[in-house]
Amino acid sequence: MKNLIDSITLSLLRTPAIETLGWTLLHFLWQGTLIALILAALMWLLKNRHPSLRYFLSCASLVVMLACPIATYLVLDRGNSRPPFETVLP
């Protein structure tokens, strides 16, 4: 029974959609970091401005962080007509 569960799990993990999801999460690490660094720089530059402007920028960065993985997945999935990397490796 354990071998059956292991083989089902491995076959599900090797699907192109899961591979694309993994690459999406990996790309979001640098994308989220970049967005956070840009926001931190803007917060430093605008530290004496009205708090509602800083609040707006913070909320906008969260919306961009929400959109980044969705857009990345769609871009990566469009090029997913290639075979999974396991079939390419010797």
Side-chain angles (χ1 to χ4, degrees):
M1 184 69 171
K2 184 178 184 304
N3 289 336
L4 177 65
I5 293 173
D6 287 344
S7 66
I8 290 172
T9 303
L10 285 176
S11 66
L12 287 175
L13 290 176
R14 292 184 179 165
T15 62
I18 297 298
E19 181 183 341
T20 303
L21 182 63
W23 281 110
T24 300
L25 294 174
L26 188 65
H27 281 293
F28 183 66
L29 289 176
W30 70 264
Q31 292 168 345
T33 302
L34 182 64
I35 293 166
L37 288 173
I38 291 170
L39 178 64
L42 286 172
M43 290 293 147
W44 183 78
L45 289 172
L46 301 173
K47 61 186 167 191
N48 295 327
R49 300 294 292 254
H50 200 272
S52 63
L53 174 63
R54 296 191 310 267
Y55 181 77
F56 172 77
L57 290 173
S58 298
C59 290
S61 68
L62 288 175
V63 170
V64 172
M65 282 189 184
L66 177 66
C68 272
I70 296 169
T72 302
Y73 184 87
L74 293 174
V75 167
L76 291 176
D77 193 44
R78 187 176 356 163
N80 209 4
S81 59
R82 67 194 186 293
F85 66 91
E86 291 89 8
T87 61
V88 176
L89 294 175

